[in-house]
Amino acid sequence: QIQLVESGGGSVQAGGSLELSCTAPKEIFSELGMGWFRRSPGKAREFVAGISSDGTAATSYADSVQGRFTISRDEDDHTVYLQMNGLDTADTATYYCVGDPADQFTGLGMAWGQGTQVTVAS
């Protein structure tokens, strides 16, 4: 069981920014694609952003966050970050960090964090 520890959630006004972070075990971090999913009340869980493990740090984003959110990873700190700018009320959700050995972010075989709440007020 891969343990992922998230931090950085909270409440912010629309237009504001937050940064989420997620730490994975140091010994396996470099082998994991890292990403973020979110679940809003009454909605299905959705992919937000991902960053690959293959040294290229290739990133991918949901259309809804493209240009506003930035995912990055720090191999030395075995941590992945999600910088969220221009937050909208529609971004209110529980955000889950994921680690995926397959770099696919399809849900299969992924490790999940416990979730951190992000609330954006109008």
Side-chain angles (χ1 to χ4, degrees):
Q1 185 79 18
I2 299 172
Q3 185 174 12
L4 304 177
V5 181
E6 301 144 338
S7 61
S11 298
V12 66
Q13 292 294 118
S17 299
L18 282 174
E19 183 179 67
L20 306 182
S21 62
C22 171
T23 301
K26 180 178 182 180
E27 58 271 20
I28 61 170
F29 183 75
S30 64
E31 301 172 15
L32 296 174
M34 299 297 296
W36 295 89
F37 280 67
R38 68 185 181 187
R39 174 173 277 167
S40 303
K43 295 185 179 180
R45 190 166 54 194
E46 63 173 346
F47 171 80
V48 175
I51 186 166
S52 68
S53 65
D54 61 3
T56 66
T59 58
S60 57
Y61 297 93
D63 289 344
S64 59
V65 307
Q66 181 77 46
R68 299 187 298 123
F69 291 11
T70 302
I71 189 170
S72 61
R73 61 189 295 156
D74 186 321
E75 301 297 329
D76 290 337
D77 290 341
H78 46 103
T79 298
V80 63
Y81 301 94
L82 185 68
Q83 177 65 43
M84 305 184 293
N85 298 328
L87 284 162
D88 184 81
T89 55
D91 296 313
T92 294
T94 301
Y95 285 72
Y96 297 90
C97 175
V98 298
D100 185 1
D103 268 336
Q104 297 295 314
F105 304 110
T106 60
L108 299 177
M110 296 193 307
W112 293 82
Q114 78 279 8
T116 186
Q117 180 65 35
V118 171
T119 301
V120 183
S122 59

